[in-house]
Amino acid sequence: MTNISQSIDAKTPPLYSVRLFDRRTGQVHRVNGAPLLALSREPQAAAASLLEGRDPALWEARIEPLATRTHP
């Protein structure tokens, strides 16, 4: 297993959660019972990837910024 460390500074883009919702039920899409969730610093690309090959009339990608802790 490889552990890659990345320095986070003021120039690092914020992190977003991207979830896929079924428009028919209003519920998040689940895989083996777990909600499908992508974490990304490029949320539009992640949303496009989740929606690839899916009917946009039936599926919706929702993007939400994740709260980040700041230190004074």
Side-chain angles (χ1 to χ4, degrees), residues 12-72:
T12 302
L15 190 60
Y16 295 86
S17 71
V18 184
R19 296 181 294 162
L20 188 63
F21 280 82
D22 186 329
R23 291 181 187 270
R24 297 164 290 191
T25 64
Q27 299 294 316
V28 68
H29 181 59
R30 294 177 177 270
V31 176
N32 292 328
L36 181 61
L37 169 74
L39 299 177
S40 179
R41 296 194 189 282
E42 298 179 5
Q44 297 300 330
S49 179
L50 287 175
L51 290 169
E52 187 175 346
R54 298 182 191 273
D55 183 346
L58 302 177
W59 298 99
E60 172 187 5
R62 294 186 190 166
I63 299 169
E64 297 176 11
L66 294 178
T68 57
R69 181 184 291 182
T70 58
H71 299 284

Side-chain angles (χ1 to χ4, degrees), residues 5-17:
S5 176
Q6 179 182 17
S7 170
I8 298 176
D9 59 23
K11 295 179 184 177
T12 302
L15 190 60
Y16 295 86
S17 71

